[in-house]
Amino acid sequence: MSSKRLETVKLTANFKLDRYIPLPFELYRGIINELLEYAHSRRITSFKRLKSEKYHELRARYPKLPSHYIYTACQMACSIYKSFRKLKRRGRVKKDKPVFRKDVIMLDDHLFSIDLENWRVSIATPNGRAEVGLLHGTYHEKFREMRVGQAWIVKDGKELYLKVVFSKEVEILEPNERAIAVDINENNVTFGTIDEVKKVETKERAIRTVYFLKRRRLQSKPRLNEKTILAKYRGREWRRIKEIYHKLANEIIKMAREERVSTIILENLKNIRRRIKRTKELNGRLHRWSFRKLQFIIEYKAKLNGINVIYVNPKNSSSYCPICGGRLSPNGQYRVLRCKRCGFEEDRDVIAVLNLLRKYQMNVGTSSVHPESPSMKRGGKAIRYKRNKYYKSSG
Ligand SMILES: [Zn+2]
C-alpha cells in the first residue's frame, strides 16, 4: 500500500549581491522591447519562431554581448507577450501593446553559475565574467542540496539581487489515515493529529499593530525619505513574521515525522478570506497574503520530507461536533464550543483541527482524496479522541 510518487519541489531564493557590477540593463530592456514589438506586430507566441526570426540579426548587431543574453531576451519577450495577450483578452490591460520597463536580466546556465559552498556567483557580462559574493539569509542553507534552474538579476537602486529557481525531486508518500491538520488564525496556529492537538500563539497581530502604528506615525508628517523608511519597516516586519512562520512550520514537520503521518491537511484559502474581514483596519490584503505564505512554507517543508499536502474546504469546521456530528453552540466561555447532543466541549480552534481531520479521514481509502468532502452532518465513522492528551503551548 505504501507506494510512492515523485514530485518536483520548486523554490525561488533571493540573494543580495555583495557589490555592484555593471550590467547592460538598458540594452537588454531595449532588446526585449524590440522583440515585443516584433512579436506583437506578427502575433508570435512561439519562442522557437521568435528566436529563429530575430536571434541572428540581434547577434550581428550586438557582437560583444554574450549570445545567451539574446537567447534569454527571446524567452522573456515571449512570456511577457503571452501574458499580455491573456490579460488583454480578459480586459485587464488598457495598453495596446506590451512594454517592458524593468531593470531585470534573465540568466540561463550559460550566463551564470552559483557556488553555495562559498556563497559566490559568476556572471557573464559584455566585459568577461564577473565573480561576486552572495549575502545569504537565515533560510538559504536548504538550497545547497537542490538543483539550480533559471535566474534573474534585478536592479533596485544601487543594489543588485539574484533570484534563482531551485528544484528537487522528492518521493511523496501515498496518503494514508495518519494525518496532521493545521488551522491558521490571525493570532494562533492550531495543529495536530487525532491524538494530540497543539495550539501555538503567534503574536502576529501584536507585531503587525506595532508596525502599522509606526507607519501611520511616519505618514502623518511628510518627509523626503518616507518611501525608504516605509520599505525598511515593511522589510523588518516581514522578517520577524517569517522567522515565526519558519519555526512554526518546523514544529509541525517535527510532529509529522514523530507521528509518522503521511499527510498534512491545510485549509483551502478561499474560505480563510471570510475570517479576515473583521480586521480590515490592519490591511486585510496583507493578512490573506501572509496566511498563504505560511501555508506555502509548511507545504514545501512537508514535501522536502516526503509528506503529502492536501487542501480541504474548512466550511463548517466549527459548526458541527467532531465526535457525533451534532450542532455546536457557544458555551459562554471565550472561543469554547459545546455540543448539544453529546455534551462534547472544546476550544473552537481545536474543534476546527478535529473536523479537518475527520473530513480527510472520510475520504481516505478511496483512490483519491477530494478536497470537497461530504457534509459533516451525515456522520461517518467517529474519530478517536483522547482529550487529556491535548496540550497548549505559547511561543
Ligand atoms: Zn457531539
Side-chain angles (χ1 to χ4, degrees):
M1 271 300 282
S2 68
S3 58
K4 286 176 172 179
R5 68 190 160 83
L6 283 175
E7 203 171 303
T8 308
V9 178
K10 274 192 177 176
L11 290 172
T12 307
N14 195 9
F15 303 95
K16 193 171 168 179
L17 301 194
D18 70 356
R19 69 183 167 92
Y20 189 85
I21 50 165
L23 287 166
F25 287 105
E26 232 184 281
L27 177 64
Y28 194 78
R29 193 167 50 232
I31 292 173
I32 287 192
N33 280 322
E34 184 182 329
L35 288 165
L36 280 174
E37 188 86 52
Y38 188 86
H40 181 63
S41 61
R42 288 163 183 79
R43 307 262 177 263
I44 302 172
T45 52
S46 142
F47 163 71
K48 262 191 178 165
R49 189 176 154 205
L50 187 63
K51 204 198 101 191
S52 75
E53 292 178 21
K54 288 293 280 180
Y55 180 79
H56 291 288
E57 177 201 330
L58 287 162
R59 268 298 276 140
R61 211 185 321 151
Y62 307 107
K64 272 185 140 182
L65 200 64
S67 64
H68 275 259
Y69 272 78
I70 294 163
Y71 189 89
T72 64
C74 289
Q75 282 180 296
M76 269 187 94
C78 198
S79 71
I80 293 166
Y81 181 54
K82 272 198 253 181
S83 60
F84 171 83
R85 277 180 41 140
K86 209 169 166 186
L87 291 172
K88 192 78 191 167
R89 268 202 301 275
R90 290 185 198 153
R92 301 258 306 275
V93 277
K94 287 191 182 128
K95 292 175 294 181
D96 292 322
K97 55 177 194 174
V99 180
F100 182 67
R101 292 201 173 84
K102 291 176 185 158
D103 283 323
V104 176
I105 294 173
M106 184 181 172
L107 306 173
D108 63 8
D109 58 349
H110 295 263
L111 293 175
F112 87 109
S113 65
I114 194 164
D115 169 12
L116 288 182
E117 287 303 313
N118 304 300
W119 298 97
R120 295 194 71 76
V121 64
S122 157
I123 300 166
T125 80
N127 309 310
R129 282 193 97 88
E131 299 272 339
V132 199
L134 297 170
L135 304 171
H136 66 92
T138 327
Y139 302 101
H140 278 122
E141 295 295 328
K142 61 177 172 288
F143 298 115
R144 284 191 186 197
E145 48 196 62
M146 299 180 82
R147 208 175 38 238
V148 183
Q150 285 169 331
W152 290 265
I153 195 131
V154 181
K155 189 177 135 192
D156 180 11
K158 283 173 186 161
E159 316 277 12
L160 292 178
Y161 293 87
L162 182 72
K163 283 180 195 289
V164 188
V165 177
F166 287 91
S167 65
K168 190 180 183 181
E169 287 262 292
V170 286
E171 278 190 344
I172 307 278
L173 271 166
E174 207 51 51
N176 59 30
E177 73 284 352
R178 306 280 307 153
I180 281 182
V182 184
D183 175 74
I184 302 171
N185 293 287
E186 201 194 340
N187 237 3
N188 74 69
V189 173
T190 308
F191 60 93
T193 64
I194 48 166
D195 299 319
E196 181 180 279
V197 177
K198 195 170 178 179
K199 186 167 184 167
V200 178
E201 302 293 331
T202 52
K203 301 183 182 74
E204 198 180 319
R205 190 190 287 160
I207 296 171
R208 292 218 187 273
T209 308
V210 166
Y211 282 95
F212 173 75
L213 293 174
K214 274 188 183 191
R215 276 194 292 274
R216 208 171 55 180
R217 217 177 301 137
L218 187 76
Q219 282 160 329
S220 64
K221 38 186 173 178
R223 271 177 232 210
L224 273 178
N225 55 352
E226 188 186 298
K227 262 193 173 169
T228 358
I229 300 176
L230 280 176
K232 201 185 261 175
Y233 282 166
R234 282 249 154 70
R236 268 188 219 157
E237 178 184 21
W238 169 232
R239 273 194 297 279
R240 280 189 68 185
I241 288 169
K242 196 161 81 168
E243 184 88 27
I244 293 170
Y245 286 177
H246 274 273
K247 277 189 186 150
L248 201 55
N250 288 342
E251 212 177 320
I252 293 167
I253 302 303
K254 193 174 155 237
M255 184 193 258
R257 292 183 65 119
E258 281 169 4
E259 300 292 320
R260 300 201 185 156
V261 311
S262 67
T263 307
I264 289 180
I265 305 157
L266 299 174
E267 295 164 283
N268 203 329
L269 187 72
K270 278 180 207 150
N271 296 279
I272 293 175
R273 262 177 219 161
R274 237 178 309 133
R275 244 187 265 178
I276 302 157
K277 276 186 191 152
R278 283 176 245 145
T279 59
K280 57 177 173 235
E281 79 275 12
L282 285 185
N283 193 347
R285 264 232 322 293
L286 209 68
H287 278 286
R288 238 168 287 149
W289 173 78
S290 95
F291 274 120
R292 190 65 196 99
K293 211 80 176 168
L294 173 57
Q295 288 188 329
F296 177 77
I297 295 172
I298 296 169
E299 182 169 344
Y300 85 70
K301 282 186 197 255
K303 285 186 176 163
L304 288 178
N305 280 280
I307 298 164
N308 196 65
V309 174
I310 66 148
Y311 287 83
V312 161
N313 183 353
K315 194 172 173 236
N316 290 336
S317 67
S318 43
S319 312
Y320 297 100
C321 173
I323 307 300
C324 74
R327 254 263 181 225
L328 293 171
S329 51
N331 85 333
Q333 272 173 276
Y334 179 64
R335 290 186 84 82
V336 175
L337 300 173
R338 185 185 152 83
C339 174
K340 282 178 190 162
R341 201 193 288 169
C342 72
F344 173 76
E345 225 177 56
E346 200 32 272
D347 178 284
R348 63 177 299 145
D349 301 321
V350 173
I351 286 174
V353 165
L354 294 175
N355 276 331
L356 284 173
L357 286 164
R358 189 171 134 122
K359 276 194 187 186
Y360 167 75
Q361 286 192 328
M362 290 198 304
N363 286 295
V364 183
T366 59
S367 56
S368 65
V369 179
H370 300 285
E372 308 294 326
S373 69
S375 163
M376 295 286 309
K377 279 178 277 185
R378 265 166 239 126
K381 92 177 177 231
I383 55 167
R384 261 185 316 128
Y385 170 66
K386 294 176 191 160
R387 183 168 194 174
N388 49 4
K389 271 204 166 184
Y390 297 154
Y391 62 93
K392 296 177 181 187
S393 82
S394 55

